[in-house]
Amino acid sequence: MENQSTLEECKGKHIEGSILLSPEDKERLYQPWKFSVIIKVFKRKMPHHMLRSKLIEIWKPSEQLILIDLGWDFFIVKFNLEESMVNALHLGPWFISGHFLSIRKWEPKFVPQEATLISTAIWIRLPQLPTEFYDKVILEKVRRKLGRKLGKLLKIDQCTSSTLRGRYARICIQVPLESPVETSVIIGDHKQSVIYEGEGRLCTSCGRIGHTSMRCTYNQRQEAAANDSKPHHQTDSIPEESQ
């Protein structure tokens, strides 16, 4: 235990007996992984063989897809072609069985247990959107104007762009996981409601994506902090004098 504690304290520092890596060593070690990506399916555990099959189905790679389990639901997809990496990173967003597939470029010294997801992509609907707003330019202006509320615009549904779907417009946005999201936006003088697709996506208690109100911990922490900040008064009971 003492040795483990010492190693944790010295993590990342030069200690006696440590193995130093030269620039040549790093080049040799990093070279095989330079076109690789690190992935994680948001809020979904998936077996290796099933995930690999789903990736081949949606990416249709022109090379063999090598999938390596890193633990903590993170995987490395090892590509040998730069084109394969670029397609995976930039042709998304990708969804596996309705769940967002988080993708980042491979990075040295990646530790799954220490990695966090700060955002996710999700499809939203704008029900009964007036037909004049079924326009890519207008929706992009909405994103620029209200980007902080809606999130980064990633993709517009093809039916939305061609106004073939009359009941609602459908767009894909990137939203933060630690910040409340909006359930309505204002376009001109029109108040438009926003629906987030997928069960268990939006917490009606705190307004965040990724859990339901039954499993919300944000309000519990706020209530606990509020109770701790209240002064605690202790009242001593004084017995009445006997007559």
Side-chain angles (χ1 to χ4, degrees):
M1 292 295 293
E2 292 180 357
N3 291 338
Q4 182 178 356
S5 176
T6 302
L7 288 174
E8 289 178 353
E9 291 178 359
C10 297
K11 184 179 179 181
K13 300 179 181 179
H14 172 67
I15 59 176
E16 185 177 356
S18 63
I19 300 175
L20 300 179
L21 297 179
S22 66
E24 292 76 16
D25 289 330
K26 293 180 180 180
E27 174 66 22
R28 186 182 68 258
L29 294 172
Y30 299 165
Q31 176 66 24
W33 307 97
K34 66 178 183 177
F35 297 141
S36 301
V37 295
I38 299 172
I39 66 172
K40 182 175 184 177
V41 181
F42 181 67
K43 293 291 181 179
R44 173 74 185 270
K45 293 181 179 294
M46 187 167 290
H48 181 280
H49 68 281
M50 183 181 297
L51 178 58
R52 184 176 183 275
S53 176
K54 293 288 187 180
L55 292 174
I56 293 175
E57 180 182 341
I58 63 174
W59 285 348
K60 298 178 175 58
S62 58
E63 60 176 301
Q64 181 183 6
L65 192 146
I66 300 174
L67 184 66
I68 303 170
D69 191 343
L70 299 178
W72 294 82
D73 301 324
F74 283 94
F75 294 82
I76 283 183
V77 181
K78 188 174 185 294
F79 291 124
N80 294 315
L81 302 176
E82 184 177 11
E83 178 186 6
S84 299
M85 178 193 70
V86 171
N87 290 341
L89 288 172
H90 300 297
L91 294 186
W94 308 103
F95 292 86
I96 301 290
S97 299
H99 294 259
F100 172 60
L101 180 66
S102 171
I103 306 178
R104 68 181 76 183
K105 192 174 181 180
W106 177 85
E107 57 191 66
K109 297 180 290 186
F110 176 81
V111 180
Q113 188 175 358
E114 299 175 358
T116 57
L117 299 181
I118 61 175
S119 65
T120 183
I122 190 171
W123 284 99
I124 67 169
R125 298 183 182 185
L126 307 178
Q128 301 183 48
L129 179 71
T131 54
E132 64 268 25
F133 297 140
Y134 278 76
D135 180 84
K136 182 176 181 180
V137 175
I138 294 299
L139 291 177
E140 289 181 347
K141 286 184 178 181
V142 170
R143 188 266 301 176
R144 288 194 297 268
K145 181 69 175 178
L146 303 174
R148 291 185 179 180
K149 292 184 177 181
L150 273 182
K152 181 181 179 182
L153 178 63
L154 299 178
K155 183 181 293 186
I156 299 176
D157 185 89
Q158 185 176 1
C159 293
T160 298
S161 301
S162 57
T163 66
L164 295 178
R165 179 175 287 143
R167 290 185 300 156
Y168 57 83
R170 187 171 184 260
I171 60 177
C172 186
I173 61 172
Q174 183 174 341
V175 295
L177 293 176
E178 296 298 323
S179 301
V181 295
E182 296 294 324
T183 57
S184 64
V185 294
I186 305 296
I187 306 175
D189 57 357
H190 170 70
K191 184 177 182 180
Q192 177 64 49
S193 61
V194 177
I195 297 177
Y196 295 84
E197 291 189 0
E199 296 182 357
R201 294 287 190 179
L202 176 63
C203 175
T204 56
S205 180
C206 71
R208 292 173 172 83
I209 294 291
H211 64 273
T212 61
S213 58
M214 296 294 293
R215 298 184 177 181
C216 181
T217 59
Y218 290 94
N219 287 340
Q220 294 176 5
R221 291 200 298 263
Q222 291 177 355
E223 291 175 0
N227 292 333
D228 291 341
S229 63
K230 292 181 180 179
H232 297 279
H233 300 287
Q234 182 175 358
T235 303
D236 295 328
S237 59
I238 303 176
E240 294 181 0
E241 294 181 359
S242 59
Q243 297 295 333

